Amino acid sequence: MLVYLAKRLAYTVPIVFSVALVCFMLVHLSPGDPLISILPADASVELEQRLRIQYGFDRPLPVQFWIWISNALSGDLGASIANGRPVLSEVLQAVRNTLLLACTAAVLGFALGMFFGLVAGYFRDSWIDKLATSIAIAGVSVPHYWLGMVLVIIFSVQLNWLPAVGAGPGNWSWTWTHLQYLVLPAVTMAVIPMGIITRTVRALVGDILSNDFVDALRAKGLGEGRVFLHVIKNAAPTAIAVMGLQLGYLLGGSILIETVFSWPGTGFLLNTAIFQRDLPLLQGTILVLALFFVFLNLFVDMLQAMIDPRIKRG
Amino acid sequence: MKPVVSVRDLTVSFHGERTVHAVNGVSLEVRQGEVLGLLGESGSGKSVTMRALMRLLPRKRTRIAGSIEVDGRDVLAMKDDELSAMRGKVVSMIFQEPALALDPVYTIGAQIAESVVRHEGKSMAEGRERALEMLERVRIPSPKRRLDAYPHEMSGGMRQRAMIALALACKPKILLADEPTTALDATVQIQILLLLRELQAEMGMSVIFVTHDLGVAVEICDRVSVMYAGKVAETGTLANLVRDPRHPYAQGLLSSTVLGARRGERLTTIPGAPPSLSQPPQACSFEPRCRFAVASCAIQRPPEVDLGERRMARCIFAEKTASEKIASLQPTPA
């Protein structure tokens, strides 16, 4: 197990480096001068020049990359051009919010998806299966920004039960004052992973049930409840792998939902950074998100290796 | 002596996109401590009969008629909890492909212990002790280590030994073996057969052993039932059946194997193919392939002819031996 862990950790080093390089290149290849957004229209050439040197935009790209990456390694991602605050604290704050939202949505989606998938697979072709499958198809097909707006109209505007936007006043706390802000975006976000997990698990259960060992379990006198338990344990590794990928998408692909609900997470931050051409902020956010993906996959691999003995360790 | 397994006129049909009449009136009898071989080709209904004995067939699509009595109890009338109490405790089963019949994500020890916990109300730790005992009994090398092994970490022969240990953990009266040696290579096959025979004698179990391999049946069975198209064509002691088969299918089957054949001589084959089972048979299923068939064979189902000494053949010519039948063919030109 330790050898496996060490190996997987070693693999992440070149991946992280390439990711950093690519996101640096992408940002600098895109058109537009980062200074335009902060310079007043009548700024002198001198001022522009001074700022350019101050931010280091005058140096050759490889040098800029080197400075950026070595600073990044020591935890300094530079300062935002738009508001001058350190990128790292901005990003970390946003990451925390996104994590909160994505994890809530993932837990919700995974729990519901596992439930629907297991039930649908076990009672294949029954009305329960048809119901669960319909929910799953609706889940993956409905555009979630649209669903988000519909939910806002119903629960915020019409019923006035839940707030429509933001993450609540001040710092986050686990109280209803803040939690009520989480409900609508989390539910909206959970719908897609729920649909995908449902479909995956339903197919998996079908496969597992067609195995001889299910007959063998019944043949040794286990009741259906116990057999079901074996089915769950057999389905879990794959379901977790799929969920890991989904969590990745939720962390990175939440721009639309965060924008609809003005949730102050990384998606929202990226959106702002792009529109303000805030290069340091953009680079920092992308890098942190990419690192997230890498470590998330690592974590999922470890988890799988722990549950399913057939995945080779070492 | 009262039989421990008694099957009367069992019919099993599957209904779905198409209908298959897999078993059409099978009667079997197994006494205490007896090994009955179910011999037949693929699709003859041997495995279906076995699964019907434990009611393991998919409930929705299967229709079962007739009667099955195991250890004096009517299996077809059992409720779910009675069924699961019987399975593994009174009747156990081992399967053709042990790699697929063991749960891949549980250790061998846990799988055996689970059965002991289920039937004897013991703790998991006591279950593991029994598991260790059983692994020693089936002579798995370094059994202590194997307790925590997963099925994929063992060889085919070892897996089948583990499967046997699992099936016998609660000392069942009856063991159903569904081609347990077919997936193994020849040297391992004979080891498993010897082990089964030994354990059967030690525990006084009754065994129904399904196989398509006459050579395997010869090694282990006391009595044999030859199945064809969902029916028992002939039943008798192994010796009787091998020396003096009475049903033309059994005769054909025997003369098509190397058993007792002379070197350099061609083996005979049975012409034609088994019938489709989409309709329940109205006449003798073997009639189209039978060289002794007469007009009445194609019209009505042949009776079960009792030949004494618990011997039976389902053929109107059952009284005649093979050579007598051939002799009776001589006058009419071929």
Side-chain angles (χ1 to χ4, degrees), chain A residues 124 212-213 215-222 226 229-230 233-234 308-310, chain B residues 51 54 84 87-88 95 100-101 103-106 111 114 118-119 150 152 166:
Chain A
R124 203 158 223 179
D212 251 1
F213 78 77
D215 270 346
L217 290 175
R218 292 193 181 117
K220 73 178 182 187
L222 300 189
R226 226 26 231 188
L229 207 70
H230 279 257
K233 195 166 173 196
N234 272 278
D308 192 335
R310 284 169 298 181
Chain B
R51 277 163 199 251
M54 281 181 112
S84 68
R87 292 171 180 162
F95 294 80
L100 303 175
D103 189 329
V105 300
Y106 282 77
Q111 295 192 47
E114 194 177 24
R118 160 73 182 86
H119 290 296
Y150 290 93
H152 72 276
L166 166 60

mmCIF file of all heavy atoms in Angstrom, chain A residues 124 212-213 215-222 226 229-230 233-234 308-310, chain B residues 51 54 84 87-88 95 100-101 103-106 111 114 118-119 150 152 166:
data_model
loop_
_atom_site.group_PDB
_atom_site.id
_atom_site.type_symbol
_atom_site.label_atom_id
_atom_site.label_comp_id
_atom_site.label_asym_id
_atom_site.label_seq_id
_atom_site.Cartn_x
_atom_site.Cartn_y
_atom_site.Cartn_z
ATOM 1 N N ARG A 124 -35.160 -4.604 -11.436
ATOM 2 C CA ARG A 124 -35.135 -4.238 -12.831
ATOM 3 C C ARG A 124 -36.495 -4.458 -13.495
ATOM 4 O O ARG A 124 -37.179 -5.426 -13.233
ATOM 5 C CB ARG A 124 -34.104 -5.094 -13.554
ATOM 6 C CG ARG A 124 -33.656 -4.403 -14.810
ATOM 7 C CD ARG A 124 -32.338 -4.889 -15.282
ATOM 8 N NE ARG A 124 -31.621 -3.684 -15.660
ATOM 9 C CZ ARG A 124 -30.400 -3.649 -16.109
ATOM 10 N NH1 ARG A 124 -29.733 -4.730 -16.215
ATOM 11 N NH2 ARG A 124 -29.841 -2.524 -16.439
ATOM 12 N N ASP A 212 -22.507 -15.779 -11.246
ATOM 13 C CA ASP A 212 -22.790 -17.020 -10.543
ATOM 14 C C ASP A 212 -22.755 -16.848 -9.034
ATOM 15 O O ASP A 212 -23.466 -17.509 -8.305
ATOM 16 C CB ASP A 212 -21.738 -18.077 -10.928
ATOM 17 C CG ASP A 212 -22.339 -19.151 -11.808
ATOM 18 O OD1 ASP A 212 -23.533 -19.041 -12.118
ATOM 19 O OD2 ASP A 212 -21.617 -20.092 -12.155
ATOM 20 N N PHE A 213 -21.881 -15.935 -8.567
ATOM 21 C CA PHE A 213 -21.689 -15.897 -7.117
ATOM 22 C C PHE A 213 -22.934 -15.422 -6.385
ATOM 23 O O PHE A 213 -23.110 -15.711 -5.203
ATOM 24 C CB PHE A 213 -20.438 -15.084 -6.739
ATOM 25 C CG PHE A 213 -20.581 -13.593 -6.771
ATOM 26 C CD1 PHE A 213 -21.235 -12.924 -5.759
ATOM 27 C CD2 PHE A 213 -20.013 -12.860 -7.800
ATOM 28 C CE1 PHE A 213 -21.345 -11.551 -5.778
ATOM 29 C CE2 PHE A 213 -20.122 -11.490 -7.824
ATOM 30 C CZ PHE A 213 -20.789 -10.829 -6.806
ATOM 31 N N ASP A 215 -25.999 -16.464 -7.135
ATOM 32 C CA ASP A 215 -26.679 -17.744 -6.914
ATOM 33 C C ASP A 215 -26.004 -18.505 -5.780
ATOM 34 O O ASP A 215 -26.671 -19.120 -4.947
ATOM 35 C CB ASP A 215 -26.621 -18.606 -8.182
ATOM 36 C CG ASP A 215 -27.815 -18.340 -9.082
ATOM 37 O OD1 ASP A 215 -28.782 -17.717 -8.606
ATOM 38 O OD2 ASP A 215 -27.776 -18.760 -10.254
ATOM 39 N N ALA A 216 -24.668 -18.454 -5.779
ATOM 40 C CA ALA A 216 -23.927 -19.179 -4.749
ATOM 41 C C ALA A 216 -24.227 -18.608 -3.366
ATOM 42 O O ALA A 216 -24.316 -19.348 -2.395
ATOM 43 C CB ALA A 216 -22.430 -19.117 -5.041
ATOM 44 N N LEU A 217 -24.378 -17.286 -3.286
ATOM 45 C CA LEU A 217 -24.712 -16.668 -2.000
ATOM 46 C C LEU A 217 -26.080 -17.136 -1.531
ATOM 47 O O LEU A 217 -26.287 -17.456 -0.368
ATOM 48 C CB LEU A 217 -24.714 -15.142 -2.129
ATOM 49 C CG LEU A 217 -23.358 -14.480 -2.320
ATOM 50 C CD1 LEU A 217 -23.520 -12.995 -2.562
ATOM 51 C CD2 LEU A 217 -22.488 -14.708 -1.101
ATOM 52 N N ARG A 218 -27.036 -17.178 -2.478
ATOM 53 C CA ARG A 218 -28.366 -17.662 -2.109
ATOM 54 C C ARG A 218 -28.292 -19.137 -1.744
ATOM 55 O O ARG A 218 -28.960 -19.590 -0.827
ATOM 56 C CB ARG A 218 -29.337 -17.472 -3.268
ATOM 57 C CG ARG A 218 -29.615 -16.008 -3.539
ATOM 58 C CD ARG A 218 -30.808 -15.818 -4.463
ATOM 59 N NE ARG A 218 -31.002 -14.395 -4.691
ATOM 60 C CZ ARG A 218 -30.901 -13.799 -5.879
ATOM 61 N NH1 ARG A 218 -30.648 -14.515 -6.952
ATOM 62 N NH2 ARG A 218 -31.060 -12.507 -5.982
ATOM 63 N N ALA A 219 -27.428 -19.880 -2.476
ATOM 64 C CA ALA A 219 -27.332 -21.319 -2.250
ATOM 65 C C ALA A 219 -26.749 -21.633 -0.880
ATOM 66 O O ALA A 219 -26.932 -22.724 -0.367
ATOM 67 C CB ALA A 219 -26.496 -21.982 -3.337
ATOM 68 N N LYS A 220 -26.024 -20.680 -0.282
ATOM 69 C CA LYS A 220 -25.527 -20.991 1.058
ATOM 70 C C LYS A 220 -26.468 -20.477 2.125
ATOM 71 O O LYS A 220 -26.158 -20.520 3.307
ATOM 72 C CB LYS A 220 -24.089 -20.497 1.246
ATOM 73 C CG LYS A 220 -23.882 -19.019 1.392
ATOM 74 C CD LYS A 220 -22.386 -18.737 1.622
ATOM 75 C CE LYS A 220 -22.143 -17.255 1.831
ATOM 76 N NZ LYS A 220 -20.732 -16.915 1.894
ATOM 77 N N GLY A 221 -27.633 -20.018 1.696
ATOM 78 C CA GLY A 221 -28.688 -19.740 2.658
ATOM 79 C C GLY A 221 -28.828 -18.296 3.086
ATOM 80 O O GLY A 221 -29.515 -17.998 4.041
ATOM 81 N N LEU A 222 -28.148 -17.371 2.385
ATOM 82 C CA LEU A 222 -28.291 -15.964 2.755
ATOM 83 C C LEU A 222 -29.647 -15.436 2.299
ATOM 84 O O LEU A 222 -30.126 -15.777 1.230
ATOM 85 C CB LEU A 222 -27.178 -15.131 2.115
ATOM 86 C CG LEU A 222 -25.755 -15.519 2.496
ATOM 87 C CD1 LEU A 222 -24.787 -14.485 1.966
ATOM 88 C CD2 LEU A 222 -25.605 -15.644 4.002
ATOM 89 N N ARG A 226 -28.976 -9.820 2.913
ATOM 90 C CA ARG A 226 -27.546 -10.108 2.973
ATOM 91 C C ARG A 226 -26.940 -10.121 1.553
ATOM 92 O O ARG A 226 -25.850 -9.637 1.317
ATOM 93 C CB ARG A 226 -27.425 -11.485 3.574
ATOM 94 C CG ARG A 226 -26.449 -11.878 4.675
ATOM 95 C CD ARG A 226 -25.945 -10.964 5.602
ATOM 96 N NE ARG A 226 -24.501 -11.129 5.592
ATOM 97 C CZ ARG A 226 -23.679 -10.551 6.436
ATOM 98 N NH1 ARG A 226 -24.137 -9.753 7.360
ATOM 99 N NH2 ARG A 226 -22.388 -10.756 6.354
ATOM 100 N N LEU A 229 -26.378 -6.741 0.386
ATOM 101 C CA LEU A 229 -25.171 -6.180 0.988
ATOM 102 C C LEU A 229 -23.932 -6.536 0.156
ATOM 103 O O LEU A 229 -23.058 -5.695 -0.088
ATOM 104 C CB LEU A 229 -25.035 -6.755 2.397
ATOM 105 C CG LEU A 229 -24.294 -5.908 3.415
ATOM 106 C CD1 LEU A 229 -25.124 -4.693 3.768
ATOM 107 C CD2 LEU A 229 -24.012 -6.728 4.668
ATOM 108 N N HIS A 230 -23.877 -7.794 -0.286
ATOM 109 C CA HIS A 230 -22.764 -8.224 -1.138
ATOM 110 C C HIS A 230 -22.780 -7.447 -2.449
ATOM 111 O O HIS A 230 -21.730 -7.065 -2.963
ATOM 112 C CB HIS A 230 -22.865 -9.727 -1.429
ATOM 113 C CG HIS A 230 -22.341 -10.590 -0.327
ATOM 114 N ND1 HIS A 230 -21.123 -11.212 -0.379
ATOM 115 C CD2 HIS A 230 -22.875 -10.929 0.860
ATOM 116 C CE1 HIS A 230 -20.921 -11.904 0.733
ATOM 117 N NE2 HIS A 230 -21.979 -11.752 1.509
ATOM 118 N N LYS A 233 -21.350 -3.980 -1.891
ATOM 119 C CA LYS A 233 -19.895 -3.946 -1.752
ATOM 120 C C LYS A 233 -19.205 -4.170 -3.096
ATOM 121 O O LYS A 233 -18.129 -3.637 -3.338
ATOM 122 C CB LYS A 233 -19.424 -4.976 -0.728
ATOM 123 C CG LYS A 233 -17.994 -4.683 -0.314
ATOM 124 C CD LYS A 233 -17.529 -5.412 0.903
ATOM 125 C CE LYS A 233 -16.030 -5.147 1.073
ATOM 126 N NZ LYS A 233 -15.365 -6.055 1.973
ATOM 127 N N ASN A 234 -19.829 -4.956 -3.953
ATOM 128 C CA ASN A 234 -19.257 -5.176 -5.278
ATOM 129 C C ASN A 234 -19.406 -3.957 -6.175
ATOM 130 O O ASN A 234 -18.592 -3.724 -7.062
ATOM 131 C CB ASN A 234 -19.919 -6.382 -5.944
ATOM 132 C CG ASN A 234 -19.222 -7.683 -5.595
ATOM 133 O OD1 ASN A 234 -18.222 -8.028 -6.187
ATOM 134 N ND2 ASN A 234 -19.726 -8.374 -4.598
ATOM 135 N N ASP A 308 -11.440 -2.449 -3.093
ATOM 136 C CA ASP A 308 -11.402 -3.586 -4.005
ATOM 137 C C ASP A 308 -10.017 -4.218 -3.997
ATOM 138 O O ASP A 308 -9.056 -3.639 -4.481
ATOM 139 C CB ASP A 308 -11.754 -3.127 -5.425
ATOM 140 C CG ASP A 308 -12.012 -4.326 -6.322
ATOM 141 O OD1 ASP A 308 -11.473 -5.407 -6.015
ATOM 142 O OD2 ASP A 308 -12.741 -4.178 -7.307
ATOM 143 N N PRO A 309 -9.901 -5.420 -3.442
ATOM 144 C CA PRO A 309 -8.594 -6.058 -3.314
ATOM 145 C C PRO A 309 -7.956 -6.401 -4.651
ATOM 146 O O PRO A 309 -6.763 -6.645 -4.721
ATOM 147 C CB PRO A 309 -8.905 -7.332 -2.538
ATOM 148 C CG PRO A 309 -10.349 -7.608 -2.799
ATOM 149 C CD PRO A 309 -10.984 -6.267 -2.944
ATOM 150 N N ARG A 310 -8.776 -6.430 -5.730
ATOM 151 C CA ARG A 310 -8.203 -6.834 -7.013
ATOM 152 C C ARG A 310 -7.360 -5.744 -7.647
ATOM 153 O O ARG A 310 -6.579 -5.995 -8.552
ATOM 154 C CB ARG A 310 -9.312 -7.244 -7.983
ATOM 155 C CG ARG A 310 -9.870 -8.603 -7.665
ATOM 156 C CD ARG A 310 -11.106 -8.863 -8.451
ATOM 157 N NE ARG A 310 -12.138 -7.891 -8.117
ATOM 158 C CZ ARG A 310 -13.346 -7.884 -8.647
ATOM 159 N NH1 ARG A 310 -13.662 -8.751 -9.547
ATOM 160 N NH2 ARG A 310 -14.234 -7.001 -8.273
ATOM 161 N N ARG B 51 -30.851 -26.699 -10.036
ATOM 162 C CA ARG B 51 -31.229 -25.404 -9.483
ATOM 163 C C ARG B 51 -32.661 -25.413 -8.991
ATOM 164 O O ARG B 51 -32.998 -24.740 -8.024
ATOM 165 C CB ARG B 51 -30.996 -24.303 -10.508
ATOM 166 C CG ARG B 51 -29.546 -23.881 -10.474
ATOM 167 C CD ARG B 51 -29.099 -23.111 -11.680
ATOM 168 N NE ARG B 51 -27.649 -23.167 -11.744
ATOM 169 C CZ ARG B 51 -26.863 -22.118 -11.502
ATOM 170 N NH1 ARG B 51 -27.395 -20.963 -11.243
ATOM 171 N NH2 ARG B 51 -25.558 -22.240 -11.535
ATOM 172 N N MET B 54 -33.074 -26.480 -5.406
ATOM 173 C CA MET B 54 -32.852 -25.465 -4.384
ATOM 174 C C MET B 54 -33.699 -24.232 -4.639
ATOM 175 O O MET B 54 -33.528 -23.233 -3.966
ATOM 176 C CB MET B 54 -31.383 -25.068 -4.365
ATOM 177 C CG MET B 54 -30.521 -26.037 -3.640
ATOM 178 S SD MET B 54 -28.834 -25.450 -3.667
ATOM 179 C CE MET B 54 -28.587 -25.078 -1.961
ATOM 180 N N SER B 84 -34.289 -20.408 2.706
ATOM 181 C CA SER B 84 -32.924 -19.979 2.995
ATOM 182 C C SER B 84 -32.371 -20.726 4.206
ATOM 183 O O SER B 84 -31.161 -20.891 4.332
ATOM 184 C CB SER B 84 -32.847 -18.466 3.175
ATOM 185 O OG SER B 84 -33.524 -18.077 4.339
ATOM 186 N N ARG B 87 -31.169 -24.004 2.481
ATOM 187 C CA ARG B 87 -29.998 -23.857 1.609
ATOM 188 C C ARG B 87 -28.743 -23.701 2.446
ATOM 189 O O ARG B 87 -28.687 -22.865 3.342
ATOM 190 C CB ARG B 87 -30.148 -22.614 0.740
ATOM 191 C CG ARG B 87 -31.244 -22.705 -0.285
ATOM 192 C CD ARG B 87 -31.413 -21.340 -0.900
ATOM 193 N NE ARG B 87 -32.450 -21.308 -1.902
ATOM 194 C CZ ARG B 87 -33.005 -20.172 -2.319
ATOM 195 N NH1 ARG B 87 -32.604 -19.021 -1.815
ATOM 196 N NH2 ARG B 87 -33.927 -20.191 -3.242
ATOM 197 N N GLY B 88 -27.731 -24.470 2.125
ATOM 198 C CA GLY B 88 -26.467 -24.361 2.835
ATOM 199 C C GLY B 88 -26.428 -25.194 4.099
ATOM 200 O O GLY B 88 -25.359 -25.494 4.615
ATOM 201 N N PHE B 95 -20.262 -25.174 -7.721
ATOM 202 C CA PHE B 95 -20.533 -24.708 -9.075
ATOM 203 C C PHE B 95 -19.413 -25.061 -10.046
ATOM 204 O O PHE B 95 -18.311 -25.419 -9.651
ATOM 205 C CB PHE B 95 -20.747 -23.203 -9.067
ATOM 206 C CG PHE B 95 -21.991 -22.787 -8.319
ATOM 207 C CD1 PHE B 95 -21.989 -22.718 -6.934
ATOM 208 C CD2 PHE B 95 -23.151 -22.490 -8.993
ATOM 209 C CE1 PHE B 95 -23.133 -22.347 -6.244
ATOM 210 C CE2 PHE B 95 -24.295 -22.115 -8.324
ATOM 211 C CZ PHE B 95 -24.289 -22.046 -6.943
ATOM 212 N N LEU B 100 -16.079 -17.709 -10.567
ATOM 213 C CA LEU B 100 -17.255 -16.853 -10.664
ATOM 214 C C LEU B 100 -18.226 -17.092 -9.518
ATOM 215 O O LEU B 100 -19.125 -16.298 -9.293
ATOM 216 C CB LEU B 100 -17.990 -17.109 -11.987
ATOM 217 C CG LEU B 100 -17.166 -16.926 -13.248
ATOM 218 C CD1 LEU B 100 -17.970 -17.320 -14.470
ATOM 219 C CD2 LEU B 100 -16.700 -15.489 -13.360
ATOM 220 N N ALA B 101 -18.054 -18.212 -8.817
ATOM 221 C CA ALA B 101 -19.028 -18.568 -7.789
ATOM 222 C C ALA B 101 -18.633 -18.044 -6.412
ATOM 223 O O ALA B 101 -19.400 -18.141 -5.473
ATOM 224 C CB ALA B 101 -19.214 -20.079 -7.734
ATOM 225 N N ASP B 103 -17.544 -14.692 -4.150
ATOM 226 C CA ASP B 103 -17.639 -13.234 -4.204
ATOM 227 C C ASP B 103 -16.233 -12.623 -4.246
ATOM 228 O O ASP B 103 -15.441 -12.851 -3.334
ATOM 229 C CB ASP B 103 -18.402 -12.727 -2.975
ATOM 230 C CG ASP B 103 -18.714 -11.246 -3.079
ATOM 231 O OD1 ASP B 103 -17.917 -10.514 -3.705
ATOM 232 O OD2 ASP B 103 -19.744 -10.809 -2.548
ATOM 233 N N PRO B 104 -15.907 -11.869 -5.302
ATOM 234 C CA PRO B 104 -14.539 -11.384 -5.473
ATOM 235 C C PRO B 104 -14.064 -10.393 -4.411
ATOM 236 O O PRO B 104 -12.870 -10.239 -4.231
ATOM 237 C CB PRO B 104 -14.559 -10.717 -6.853
ATOM 238 C CG PRO B 104 -15.997 -10.430 -7.131
ATOM 239 C CD PRO B 104 -16.762 -11.508 -6.429
ATOM 240 N N VAL B 105 -14.963 -9.717 -3.708
ATOM 241 C CA VAL B 105 -14.490 -8.686 -2.784
ATOM 242 C C VAL B 105 -14.562 -9.110 -1.308
ATOM 243 O O VAL B 105 -14.395 -8.284 -0.428
ATOM 244 C CB VAL B 105 -15.217 -7.333 -2.995
ATOM 245 C CG1 VAL B 105 -15.003 -6.825 -4.402
ATOM 246 C CG2 VAL B 105 -16.691 -7.438 -2.691
ATOM 247 N N TYR B 106 -14.813 -10.394 -1.065
ATOM 248 C CA TYR B 106 -14.758 -10.887 0.318
ATOM 249 C C TYR B 106 -13.654 -11.942 0.416
ATOM 250 O O TYR B 106 -13.411 -12.679 -0.548
ATOM 251 C CB TYR B 106 -16.081 -11.534 0.704
ATOM 252 C CG TYR B 106 -17.180 -10.544 1.041
ATOM 253 C CD1 TYR B 106 -17.859 -9.871 0.037
ATOM 254 C CD2 TYR B 106 -17.533 -10.289 2.358
ATOM 255 C CE1 TYR B 106 -18.864 -8.960 0.336
ATOM 256 C CE2 TYR B 106 -18.531 -9.395 2.671
ATOM 257 C CZ TYR B 106 -19.195 -8.731 1.662
ATOM 258 O OH TYR B 106 -20.182 -7.839 1.947
ATOM 259 N N GLN B 111 -16.232 -15.538 3.723
ATOM 260 C CA GLN B 111 -17.340 -16.159 2.999
ATOM 261 C C GLN B 111 -17.783 -17.462 3.649
ATOM 262 O O GLN B 111 -18.973 -17.775 3.688
ATOM 263 C CB GLN B 111 -16.950 -16.413 1.540
ATOM 264 C CG GLN B 111 -16.703 -15.115 0.804
ATOM 265 C CD GLN B 111 -16.588 -15.295 -0.692
ATOM 266 O OE1 GLN B 111 -17.392 -15.959 -1.315
ATOM 267 N NE2 GLN B 111 -15.579 -14.689 -1.280
ATOM 268 N N GLU B 114 -19.461 -16.591 7.042
ATOM 269 C CA GLU B 114 -20.790 -16.023 6.860
ATOM 270 C C GLU B 114 -21.865 -17.109 6.882
ATOM 271 O O GLU B 114 -22.931 -16.947 7.477
ATOM 272 C CB GLU B 114 -20.823 -15.276 5.521
ATOM 273 C CG GLU B 114 -22.009 -14.365 5.358
ATOM 274 C CD GLU B 114 -21.956 -13.598 4.046
ATOM 275 O OE1 GLU B 114 -21.289 -14.079 3.100
ATOM 276 O OE2 GLU B 114 -22.577 -12.540 3.970
ATOM 277 N N ARG B 118 -24.723 -17.693 9.666
ATOM 278 C CA ARG B 118 -26.115 -17.716 9.236
ATOM 279 C C ARG B 118 -26.874 -18.937 9.787
ATOM 280 O O ARG B 118 -27.996 -18.820 10.265
ATOM 281 C CB ARG B 118 -26.166 -17.733 7.696
ATOM 282 C CG ARG B 118 -27.458 -18.218 7.057
ATOM 283 C CD ARG B 118 -28.572 -17.184 7.215
ATOM 284 N NE ARG B 118 -29.840 -17.635 6.660
ATOM 285 C CZ ARG B 118 -30.739 -18.370 7.311
ATOM 286 N NH1 ARG B 118 -30.480 -18.765 8.553
ATOM 287 N NH2 ARG B 118 -31.869 -18.717 6.749
ATOM 288 N N HIS B 119 -26.236 -20.103 9.728
ATOM 289 C CA HIS B 119 -26.983 -21.318 10.034
ATOM 290 C C HIS B 119 -26.835 -21.806 11.468
ATOM 291 O O HIS B 119 -27.680 -22.526 11.966
ATOM 292 C CB HIS B 119 -26.570 -22.448 9.085
ATOM 293 C CG HIS B 119 -27.043 -22.229 7.687
ATOM 294 N ND1 HIS B 119 -28.369 -22.196 7.363
ATOM 295 C CD2 HIS B 119 -26.375 -21.995 6.537
ATOM 296 C CE1 HIS B 119 -28.502 -21.960 6.065
ATOM 297 N NE2 HIS B 119 -27.309 -21.835 5.551
ATOM 298 N N TYR B 150 -8.125 -13.461 -1.051
ATOM 299 C CA TYR B 150 -9.287 -13.229 -1.905
ATOM 300 C C TYR B 150 -9.287 -14.270 -3.019
ATOM 301 O O TYR B 150 -8.219 -14.786 -3.386
ATOM 302 C CB TYR B 150 -9.231 -11.816 -2.486
ATOM 303 C CG TYR B 150 -9.468 -10.759 -1.444
ATOM 304 C CD1 TYR B 150 -8.406 -10.173 -0.773
ATOM 305 C CD2 TYR B 150 -10.758 -10.378 -1.101
ATOM 306 C CE1 TYR B 150 -8.627 -9.218 0.212
ATOM 307 C CE2 TYR B 150 -10.989 -9.431 -0.128
ATOM 308 C CZ TYR B 150 -9.916 -8.839 0.523
ATOM 309 O OH TYR B 150 -10.145 -7.911 1.480
ATOM 310 N N HIS B 152 -9.295 -14.149 -6.158
ATOM 311 C CA HIS B 152 -8.405 -13.952 -7.308
ATOM 312 C C HIS B 152 -6.955 -14.265 -6.986
ATOM 313 O O HIS B 152 -6.123 -14.333 -7.879
ATOM 314 C CB HIS B 152 -8.529 -12.517 -7.834
ATOM 315 C CG HIS B 152 -7.914 -11.499 -6.933
ATOM 316 N ND1 HIS B 152 -8.577 -10.974 -5.856
ATOM 317 C CD2 HIS B 152 -6.691 -10.929 -6.944
ATOM 318 C CE1 HIS B 152 -7.786 -10.112 -5.249
ATOM 319 N NE2 HIS B 152 -6.639 -10.064 -5.886
ATOM 320 N N LEU B 166 -16.595 -24.234 1.661
ATOM 321 C CA LEU B 166 -17.742 -23.360 1.929
ATOM 322 C C LEU B 166 -19.042 -24.154 1.931
ATOM 323 O O LEU B 166 -19.873 -24.020 2.824
ATOM 324 C CB LEU B 166 -17.781 -22.259 0.861
ATOM 325 C CG LEU B 166 -19.043 -21.417 0.731
ATOM 326 C CD1 LEU B 166 -19.323 -20.680 2.025
ATOM 327 C CD2 LEU B 166 -18.887 -20.413 -0.395
#
